[in-house]
Amino acid sequence: DTAVSQTPKYLVTQMGNDKSIKCEQNLGHDTMYWYKQDSKKFLKIMFSYNNKELIINETVPNRFSPKSPDKAHLNLHINSLELGDSAVYFCASSHIAGGAQYFGPGTRLLVL
Amino acid sequence: SQQGEEDPQALSIQEGENATMNCSYKTSINNLQWYRQNSGRGLVHLILIRSNEREKHSGRLRVTLDTSKKSSSLLITASRAADTASYFCATDASKKFGNEKLTFGTGTRLTIIP
């Protein structure tokens, strides 16, 4: 009955690799987001999608490519991983943009 | 730069006491939200207050909003050990409909001492 789920929960990989994180929500929400939380707990929005359409792209390197196959899924693909990509990545969804957001459990990415 | 700044950065109180956290922001907003994050978990939405509201309650939570001072406070009454978490304010300051996004503050780390 998980509302917003992410896989994997942990991801340890070498610099230069390509990896994907998947997100699914079963809340029927139209809007989904990706956030990055750094080691100081600062949370910053990366992307938002509304009904499969990209709405916000917050000057994220183009190595990060979100993909929304349908409005219940928003996946994040990262090419050529760098050390600075190490962080916790959160997926979230909301019924309307600007409304209350529901967060997934996070994916802890460590790039070695 | 960040929209929201919480104060204090860290707060430790005895169980049963009240905890107050403050949030200041820089631009006019549509709404302000408070979230809780337990260690190693995702954020949980607590309460949303719109720019035309001044106070809102939810259980043991009380949120105030002063748009003239660009500040908000979160009061947790009769604190419990389970309230130990980080608390974040987030603002929606979007000017364009359909382009809304939340900008999160730096968070207050609250520790309740049993």
PDB file of all heavy atoms in Angstrom, chain A residues 74-90:
ATOM      1  N   LEU A  74       7.817   8.142 -12.719  1.00  0.00           N
ATOM      2  CA  LEU A  74       8.821   9.123 -13.127  1.00  0.00           C
ATOM      3  C   LEU A  74      10.177   8.543 -12.764  1.00  0.00           C
ATOM      4  O   LEU A  74      10.516   8.430 -11.592  1.00  0.00           O
ATOM      5  CB  LEU A  74       8.610  10.469 -12.419  1.00  0.00           C
ATOM      6  CG  LEU A  74       9.609  11.570 -12.801  1.00  0.00           C
ATOM      7  CD1 LEU A  74       9.521  11.886 -14.293  1.00  0.00           C
ATOM      8  CD2 LEU A  74       9.369  12.835 -11.980  1.00  0.00           C
ATOM      9  N   ASN A  75      10.919   8.155 -13.770  1.00  0.00           N
ATOM     10  CA  ASN A  75      12.218   7.543 -13.570  1.00  0.00           C
ATOM     11  C   ASN A  75      13.319   8.566 -13.819  1.00  0.00           C
ATOM     12  O   ASN A  75      13.114   9.567 -14.523  1.00  0.00           O
ATOM     13  CB  ASN A  75      12.384   6.340 -14.498  1.00  0.00           C
ATOM     14  CG  ASN A  75      11.246   5.329 -14.326  1.00  0.00           C
ATOM     15  OD1 ASN A  75      10.774   5.101 -13.203  1.00  0.00           O
ATOM     16  ND2 ASN A  75      10.792   4.746 -15.414  1.00  0.00           N
ATOM     17  N   LEU A  76      14.471   8.308 -13.222  1.00  0.00           N
ATOM     18  CA  LEU A  76      15.605   9.215 -13.359  1.00  0.00           C
ATOM     19  C   LEU A  76      16.807   8.423 -13.823  1.00  0.00           C
ATOM     20  O   LEU A  76      17.235   7.485 -13.149  1.00  0.00           O
ATOM     21  CB  LEU A  76      15.905   9.900 -12.017  1.00  0.00           C
ATOM     22  CG  LEU A  76      17.012  10.946 -12.025  1.00  0.00           C
ATOM     23  CD1 LEU A  76      16.631  12.146 -12.889  1.00  0.00           C
ATOM     24  CD2 LEU A  76      17.321  11.406 -10.593  1.00  0.00           C
ATOM     25  N   HIS A  77      17.344   8.790 -14.986  1.00  0.00           N
ATOM     26  CA  HIS A  77      18.533   8.132 -15.507  1.00  0.00           C
ATOM     27  C   HIS A  77      19.710   9.098 -15.394  1.00  0.00           C
ATOM     28  O   HIS A  77      19.569  10.275 -15.740  1.00  0.00           O
ATOM     29  CB  HIS A  77      18.332   7.718 -16.964  1.00  0.00           C
ATOM     30  CG  HIS A  77      19.455   6.882 -17.483  1.00  0.00           C
ATOM     31  ND1 HIS A  77      19.606   5.544 -17.146  1.00  0.00           N
ATOM     32  CD2 HIS A  77      20.495   7.194 -18.284  1.00  0.00           C
ATOM     33  CE1 HIS A  77      20.682   5.073 -17.730  1.00  0.00           C
ATOM     34  NE2 HIS A  77      21.236   6.043 -18.434  1.00  0.00           N
ATOM     35  N   ILE A  78      20.823   8.585 -14.901  1.00  0.00           N
ATOM     36  CA  ILE A  78      22.007   9.422 -14.730  1.00  0.00           C
ATOM     37  C   ILE A  78      23.159   8.813 -15.516  1.00  0.00           C
ATOM     38  O   ILE A  78      23.525   7.655 -15.290  1.00  0.00           O
ATOM     39  CB  ILE A  78      22.416   9.558 -13.249  1.00  0.00           C
ATOM     40  CG1 ILE A  78      21.179   9.805 -12.361  1.00  0.00           C
ATOM     41  CG2 ILE A  78      23.418  10.690 -13.078  1.00  0.00           C
ATOM     42  CD1 ILE A  78      21.456   9.721 -10.874  1.00  0.00           C
ATOM     43  N   ASN A  79      23.712   9.576 -16.440  1.00  0.00           N
ATOM     44  CA  ASN A  79      24.861   9.127 -17.230  1.00  0.00           C
ATOM     45  C   ASN A  79      26.159   9.614 -16.605  1.00  0.00           C
ATOM     46  O   ASN A  79      26.200  10.659 -15.945  1.00  0.00           O
ATOM     47  CB  ASN A  79      24.775   9.689 -18.659  1.00  0.00           C
ATOM     48  CG  ASN A  79      23.675   9.037 -19.465  1.00  0.00           C
ATOM     49  OD1 ASN A  79      23.368   7.866 -19.289  1.00  0.00           O
ATOM     50  ND2 ASN A  79      23.064   9.809 -20.344  1.00  0.00           N
ATOM     51  N   SER A  80      27.214   8.877 -16.854  1.00  0.00           N
ATOM     52  CA  SER A  80      28.574   9.304 -16.478  1.00  0.00           C
ATOM     53  C   SER A  80      28.618   9.848 -15.051  1.00  0.00           C
ATOM     54  O   SER A  80      28.980  11.011 -14.820  1.00  0.00           O
ATOM     55  CB  SER A  80      29.077  10.375 -17.457  1.00  0.00           C
ATOM     56  OG  SER A  80      29.036   9.897 -18.775  1.00  0.00           O
ATOM     57  N   LEU A  81      28.267   9.014 -14.117  1.00  0.00           N
ATOM     58  CA  LEU A  81      28.178   9.449 -12.720  1.00  0.00           C
ATOM     59  C   LEU A  81      29.478  10.055 -12.221  1.00  0.00           C
ATOM     60  O   LEU A  81      30.577   9.590 -12.541  1.00  0.00           O
ATOM     61  CB  LEU A  81      27.764   8.273 -11.841  1.00  0.00           C
ATOM     62  CG  LEU A  81      26.258   8.022 -11.844  1.00  0.00           C
ATOM     63  CD1 LEU A  81      25.940   6.580 -11.510  1.00  0.00           C
ATOM     64  CD2 LEU A  81      25.581   8.975 -10.870  1.00  0.00           C
ATOM     65  N   GLU A  82      29.340  11.122 -11.422  1.00  0.00           N
ATOM     66  CA  GLU A  82      30.473  11.833 -10.828  1.00  0.00           C
ATOM     67  C   GLU A  82      30.382  11.727  -9.310  1.00  0.00           C
ATOM     68  O   GLU A  82      29.303  11.484  -8.752  1.00  0.00           O
ATOM     69  CB  GLU A  82      30.453  13.295 -11.263  1.00  0.00           C
ATOM     70  CG  GLU A  82      30.511  13.491 -12.768  1.00  0.00           C
ATOM     71  CD  GLU A  82      30.431  14.963 -13.179  1.00  0.00           C
ATOM     72  OE1 GLU A  82      30.236  15.815 -12.291  1.00  0.00           O
ATOM     73  OE2 GLU A  82      30.565  15.227 -14.388  1.00  0.00           O
ATOM     74  N   LEU A  83      31.521  11.973  -8.653  1.00  0.00           N
ATOM     75  CA  LEU A  83      31.564  11.906  -7.185  1.00  0.00           C
ATOM     76  C   LEU A  83      30.521  12.832  -6.554  1.00  0.00           C
ATOM     77  O   LEU A  83      29.872  12.491  -5.567  1.00  0.00           O
ATOM     78  CB  LEU A  83      32.960  12.279  -6.674  1.00  0.00           C
ATOM     79  CG  LEU A  83      34.097  11.342  -7.058  1.00  0.00           C
ATOM     80  CD1 LEU A  83      35.437  11.900  -6.546  1.00  0.00           C
ATOM     81  CD2 LEU A  83      33.869   9.943  -6.494  1.00  0.00           C
ATOM     82  N   GLY A  84      30.354  14.009  -7.166  1.00  0.00           N
ATOM     83  CA  GLY A  84      29.427  15.000  -6.621  1.00  0.00           C
ATOM     84  C   GLY A  84      27.962  14.619  -6.749  1.00  0.00           C
ATOM     85  O   GLY A  84      27.089  15.299  -6.202  1.00  0.00           O
ATOM     86  N   ASP A  85      27.684  13.543  -7.457  1.00  0.00           N
ATOM     87  CA  ASP A  85      26.302  13.078  -7.573  1.00  0.00           C
ATOM     88  C   ASP A  85      25.866  12.293  -6.347  1.00  0.00           C
ATOM     89  O   ASP A  85      24.668  11.994  -6.195  1.00  0.00           O
ATOM     90  CB  ASP A  85      26.128  12.200  -8.822  1.00  0.00           C
ATOM     91  CG  ASP A  85      26.401  12.950 -10.111  1.00  0.00           C
ATOM     92  OD1 ASP A  85      26.215  14.185 -10.129  1.00  0.00           O
ATOM     93  OD2 ASP A  85      26.827  12.314 -11.100  1.00  0.00           O
ATOM     94  N   SER A  86      26.819  11.951  -5.495  1.00  0.00           N
ATOM     95  CA  SER A  86      26.488  11.216  -4.273  1.00  0.00           C
ATOM     96  C   SER A  86      25.541  12.051  -3.416  1.00  0.00           C
ATOM     97  O   SER A  86      25.848  13.198  -3.066  1.00  0.00           O
ATOM     98  CB  SER A  86      27.757  10.901  -3.466  1.00  0.00           C
ATOM     99  OG  SER A  86      28.595  10.026  -4.182  1.00  0.00           O
ATOM    100  N   ALA A  87      24.399  11.493  -3.103  1.00  0.00           N
ATOM    101  CA  ALA A  87      23.355  12.219  -2.371  1.00  0.00           C
ATOM    102  C   ALA A  87      22.194  11.258  -2.168  1.00  0.00           C
ATOM    103  O   ALA A  87      22.246  10.101  -2.590  1.00  0.00           O
ATOM    104  CB  ALA A  87      22.885  13.441  -3.151  1.00  0.00           C
ATOM    105  N   VAL A  88      21.154  11.774  -1.531  1.00  0.00           N
ATOM    106  CA  VAL A  88      19.901  11.013  -1.456  1.00  0.00           C
ATOM    107  C   VAL A  88      18.924  11.649  -2.441  1.00  0.00           C
ATOM    108  O   VAL A  88      18.732  12.873  -2.415  1.00  0.00           O
ATOM    109  CB  VAL A  88      19.304  11.020  -0.044  1.00  0.00           C
ATOM    110  CG1 VAL A  88      18.042  10.156  -0.006  1.00  0.00           C
ATOM    111  CG2 VAL A  88      20.313  10.501   0.979  1.00  0.00           C
ATOM    112  N   TYR A  89      18.333  10.860  -3.287  1.00  0.00           N
ATOM    113  CA  TYR A  89      17.391  11.346  -4.291  1.00  0.00           C
ATOM    114  C   TYR A  89      15.983  10.931  -3.884  1.00  0.00           C
ATOM    115  O   TYR A  89      15.710   9.763  -3.618  1.00  0.00           O
ATOM    116  CB  TYR A  89      17.757  10.789  -5.672  1.00  0.00           C
ATOM    117  CG  TYR A  89      19.052  11.360  -6.186  1.00  0.00           C
ATOM    118  CD1 TYR A  89      20.276  10.803  -5.807  1.00  0.00           C
ATOM    119  CD2 TYR A  89      19.068  12.484  -7.010  1.00  0.00           C
ATOM    120  CE1 TYR A  89      21.470  11.349  -6.237  1.00  0.00           C
ATOM    121  CE2 TYR A  89      20.260  13.024  -7.455  1.00  0.00           C
ATOM    122  CZ  TYR A  89      21.462  12.451  -7.068  1.00  0.00           C
ATOM    123  OH  TYR A  89      22.647  13.002  -7.501  1.00  0.00           O
ATOM    124  N   PHE A  90      15.117  11.924  -3.838  1.00  0.00           N
ATOM    125  CA  PHE A  90      13.730  11.675  -3.445  1.00  0.00           C
ATOM    126  C   PHE A  90      12.790  11.948  -4.601  1.00  0.00           C
ATOM    127  O   PHE A  90      12.898  12.973  -5.278  1.00  0.00           O
ATOM    128  CB  PHE A  90      13.317  12.586  -2.281  1.00  0.00           C
ATOM    129  CG  PHE A  90      13.914  12.210  -0.956  1.00  0.00           C
ATOM    130  CD1 PHE A  90      15.016  12.897  -0.473  1.00  0.00           C
ATOM    131  CD2 PHE A  90      13.377  11.184  -0.203  1.00  0.00           C
ATOM    132  CE1 PHE A  90      15.577  12.560   0.754  1.00  0.00           C
ATOM    133  CE2 PHE A  90      13.926  10.836   1.024  1.00  0.00           C
ATOM    134  CZ  PHE A  90      15.028  11.531   1.497  1.00  0.00           C
TER     135      PHE A  90
END
